[in-house]
Amino acid sequence: MPSAVTLIRAAALSDAAEYAYAATAPADARLIFLAGSCPLDADGSTAGVGDYAAQAASCIENMTVALRAAGAELTDVISTRVLAASTRQADLVTAWEVVRDAFGDHDVPSTLMGVTVLGYDDQLVEIEAVAAVVD
């Protein structure tokens, strides 16, 4: 089924950003607001301790499970917010590259932020998302 999400690129803005600048969904779309996806294994332990890329990949895997439970896929995501517990830009970029690659051509509007701490022991990455589907 095709996605209800339409990505919008603004030609007047820099093409250096690796995402669309805006996205829309039709009026009849059902919005899905996901809790922040965390790098937690099924037993509640933190995956990829000390590894931004591994934690971002775990977050994407967990997000995909939550999306499917709500009747959606990654291609239905309309926006993301990627949080990385670091003051180093390189750590943020490491997490972002995993997220960008997971979404591929569906380069949704996204915000990347460095934060001081996240909620679980050894947690370095968290990803929030909103999706839209037409049932």
Side-chain angles (χ1 to χ4, degrees), residues 3 11 28 33 38 40 42 55 73 75 81 91 93 104 106 109 121 130-131 133:
S3 175
D28 62 340
F33 297 89
C38 299
L40 298 178
Q55 288 202 7
E73 300 291 333
T75 54
R81 181 177 299 133
D91 296 333
V93 170
H106 186 68
D121 291 342
V130 177
V133 295

Side-chain angles (χ1 to χ4, degrees), residues 6-51:
T6 301
L7 300 177
I8 300 166
R9 284 145 180 84
L13 296 173
S14 171
D15 62 0
E18 298 175 318
Y19 47 79
Y21 278 100
T24 64
D28 62 340
R30 175 172 54 91
L31 296 179
I32 303 164
F33 297 89
L34 284 84
S37 177
C38 299
L40 298 178
D41 289 329
D43 66 1
S45 63
T46 303
V49 173
D51 187 334

Side-chain angles (χ1 to χ4, degrees), residues 12-123:
L13 296 173
S14 171
D15 62 0
E18 298 175 318
Y19 47 79
Y21 278 100
T24 64
D28 62 340
R30 175 172 54 91
L31 296 179
I32 303 164
F33 297 89
L34 284 84
S37 177
C38 299
L40 298 178
D41 289 329
D43 66 1
S45 63
T46 303
V49 173
D51 187 334
Y52 287 88
Q55 288 202 7
S58 178
C59 289
I60 291 292
E61 290 171 16
N62 290 337
M63 178 188 301
T64 300
V65 171
L67 284 165
R68 288 188 181 138
E73 300 291 333
L74 282 178
T75 54
D76 297 312
V77 172
I78 196 166
S79 68
T80 67
R81 181 177 299 133
V82 181
L83 310 172
S86 180
T87 59
R88 292 177 11 116
Q89 187 179 32
D91 296 333
L92 278 67
V93 170
T94 296
W96 169 249
E97 288 173 344
V98 172
V99 174
R100 179 201 60 209
D101 292 349
F103 278 91
D105 290 338
H106 186 68
D107 55 346
V108 300
S110 191
T111 298
L112 175 62
M113 297 176 12
V115 299
T116 57
V117 66
L118 292 166
Y120 292 99
D121 291 342
D122 301 312
Q123 182 182 2

